[in-house]
Every structure is written in structure tokens, then in C-alpha cells.
Amino acid sequence: MNSVLEGATLLTLFLVLQGLIGFTIWWFLRQRQQPPAQTEVLHSIVHEFQTPISAIRMAVDILDSPIARNHPERTEKYVRIIREETERLQHQVETMLTLARADRNTLVLNPEPVHLQHLLRSVAERHGDYLTLQLVAKDTYILADRLHLTNVLYNLLDNAIKYSADDPVITLLTKTDTDGLTITIKDKGVGIPPKLVANIFQPFFRVHDRNQPSVKGFGLGLSYVQRIVQAHNWSIWVKSAVGQGSEFMIQVPPKSILPSTEQG
């Protein structure tokens, strides 16, 4: 038990330290903002870090109490909470650091041949029946950074889920044409007001509208998505209508699609 507690505590401290470093880098990069905007960003970051840290603290306290010592079957539950919340913290920190690197033009991609259909099916396995695949595009490999592309897909799917007022209904589509290959994530969520569509890729931007559900997060996901897409020299755009849902489309140009002789 002590090893579990020590490991969890050290991991928590390490991730919090990462978060502080990431915040510091990002904060100095954003000094051009006006003070009210800085204050809002700071409050958002503090709030979002407090939530997982509080959950980890609660789980560690329970693991160190007679409740867990006398009921070993509960240990797995609270270890799982610690693991999930530290992964959430790590994802938040990695997103912030990636955006900071992009702002400083120090973001480095590691492109490799990626079997797109295999990747999309693997990502879809994390979701339920609410996600439908329509992979019409030719089964092919594309040249991409596998890790960042996977994170882009996770972010877009998570975003579609967050902004579904009821049970999510999401479609992941691919198609090819003379312009290359298009990956589309389509939902039937609450949609985005037209006047706000142009702002959704801004860091820390959140849609504040009475028709929008309250969601967790910094408001960095879509900014991260755009930066990664642009770093690949691809393009992304969105179509949305309030009450009807949104479509996020990533255009992969022909130069990033590998000929059959280069695949594998």
C-alpha cells in the first residue's frame, strides 16, 4: 500500500510541476493580452488544475485510511481514479506545451507512414454506438505525426461529445477527390452561433451562449487541433448551425498521401 501511495504522490507532484512549467511558458507568451483577459485565463487554468488535483488528493486520503486498509477490494477503484486524473492532467499540460512550442516556432513533428483506416478504427474503439464510421476514402497511408494526429482526432471527437445536448450522434467520414483526402467529424449537437465560428480556434476561447452546455477544459483543444493541422501543411474548416450540429473537416493534400509503392 505504501508503494502505491508513494508512487501516486510522486506522480502527482511531477505532473503539477509540469503544469506550472507549462503555465509559465504559456503565460509569458501571452503577455500581449490585456489584464482582464489574463485574469480570466488564470482563473480558468487554476480551476481546471484544481479539479483533478482535488480528486487525486481525495483518492490518496482514502487509500491511506482504514476504509481502504480494511476493504482491499476498494483499492483498485481509487487507484483507477488517480490514474485517470493524472492522465487528464498530463493531457492538459502536453496541450499547453505544444501550443507554446507552436507560438515559438519550435514545434517539431515526426512524420511517418500512417495507415489511416487502421488509425481511425482504433480511435473509434474508444467510443460507443453513438459513433458511426463512413470510411469512403481509398484505403491508404498518409504521411503524418501519428501521436499528434491521434490527439487531434481525440480532441475533435471529445469536442463533439461535449457539445451534444442529449445523447451524442457522431459520424466520422473520409472521402477522396482531386483536392486530396478529407477527414470529417460530424455531430448533431447544439451547434455554434454564426458570430462565434470565427473565434473557436483561439486559445482559451469558450462559447458562452445560453444554448451551449457547460463543459470542462481550458478551451485549448481546438486551438491545438488547428496548430497541428497547420504544422502538417493541411487545412481545417468548420460548418455549423445552431441546433443542428457541427462539421469539422481536415483536408489532407495529395502530397501527404503516399503512393502504394511507398506504403508500409
Side-chain angles (χ1 to χ4, degrees):
M1 180 64 67
N2 288 335
S3 61
V4 172
L5 290 175
E6 290 173 1
T9 301
L10 289 173
L11 182 57
T12 301
L13 291 174
F14 175 71
L15 289 171
V16 171
L17 179 60
Q18 275 193 314
L20 292 174
I21 294 172
F23 166 73
T24 302
I25 293 172
W26 184 263
W27 184 255
F28 283 107
L29 286 171
R30 302 296 294 176
Q31 284 300 304
R32 62 181 179 274
Q33 290 184 330
Q34 296 300 315
Q38 291 177 341
T39 301
E40 183 178 351
V41 168
L42 178 59
H43 286 170
S44 174
I45 290 175
V46 170
H47 174 74
E48 291 299 328
F49 275 135
Q50 280 181 335
T51 302
I53 290 172
S54 296
I56 293 168
R57 173 80 179 269
M58 177 273 294
V60 169
D61 287 344
I62 292 176
L63 285 173
D64 197 32
S65 72
I67 296 175
R69 287 197 295 267
N70 297 334
H71 301 277
E73 68 278 2
R74 297 189 180 185
T75 299
E76 184 177 348
K77 171 185 176 181
Y78 292 105
V79 169
R80 185 178 69 251
I81 291 174
I82 293 171
R83 183 179 297 111
E84 290 174 351
E85 294 301 328
T86 50
E87 287 177 354
R88 178 181 168 191
L89 270 172
Q90 187 172 23
H91 176 71
Q92 291 171 338
V93 170
E94 287 175 350
T95 298
M96 294 175 70
L97 291 175
T98 297
L99 289 171
R101 294 186 188 107
D103 271 0
R104 298 175 61 187
N105 295 319
T106 58
L107 175 61
V108 178
L109 298 181
N110 296 297
E112 61 178 291
V114 175
H115 191 170
L116 184 60
Q117 281 207 15
H118 285 183
L119 176 61
L120 295 178
R121 293 186 186 279
S122 174
V123 169
E125 287 177 356
R126 293 177 50 134
H127 298 272
D129 294 338
Y130 57 83
L131 176 60
T132 301
L133 294 180
Q134 294 183 10
L135 307 182
V136 179
K138 181 181 178 181
D139 188 12
T140 188
Y141 284 75
I142 62 174
L143 192 62
D145 185 301
R146 182 183 300 273
L147 174 62
H148 282 301
L149 177 57
T150 302
N151 288 339
V152 162
L153 296 169
Y154 285 159
N155 272 285
L156 289 175
L157 288 169
D158 288 345
N159 194 68
I161 294 169
K162 287 178 182 179
Y163 287 97
S164 294
D166 301 311
D167 293 335
V169 178
I170 305 169
T171 307
L172 177 54
L173 312 93
T174 62
K175 70 174 185 177
T176 50
D177 54 29
T178 55
D179 294 325
L181 185 150
T182 305
I183 305 169
T184 301
I185 293 177
K186 181 179 180 180
D187 66 65
K188 295 185 178 179
V190 296
I192 306 168
K195 63 181 180 181
L196 300 180
V197 169
N199 300 322
I200 61 173
F201 292 111
Q202 295 179 7
F204 300 107
F205 179 80
R206 304 299 295 271
V207 175
H208 297 292
D209 185 88
R210 63 182 180 181
N211 296 318
Q212 302 286 351
S214 177
V215 298
K216 296 179 180 179
F218 290 154
L220 291 176
L222 290 181
S223 182
Y224 168 86
V225 166
Q226 185 188 54
R227 297 300 182 89
I228 296 302
V229 169
Q230 291 176 341
H232 280 85
N233 292 316
W234 303 347
S235 58
I236 183 170
W237 68 96
V238 60
K239 294 194 301 184
S240 187
V242 174
Q244 299 181 34
S246 304
E247 293 183 50
F248 286 83
M249 293 153 282
I250 298 173
Q251 183 71 44
V252 181
K255 64 181 180 182
S256 293
I257 302 173
L258 297 179
S260 56
T261 55
E262 298 182 27
Q263 298 176 7

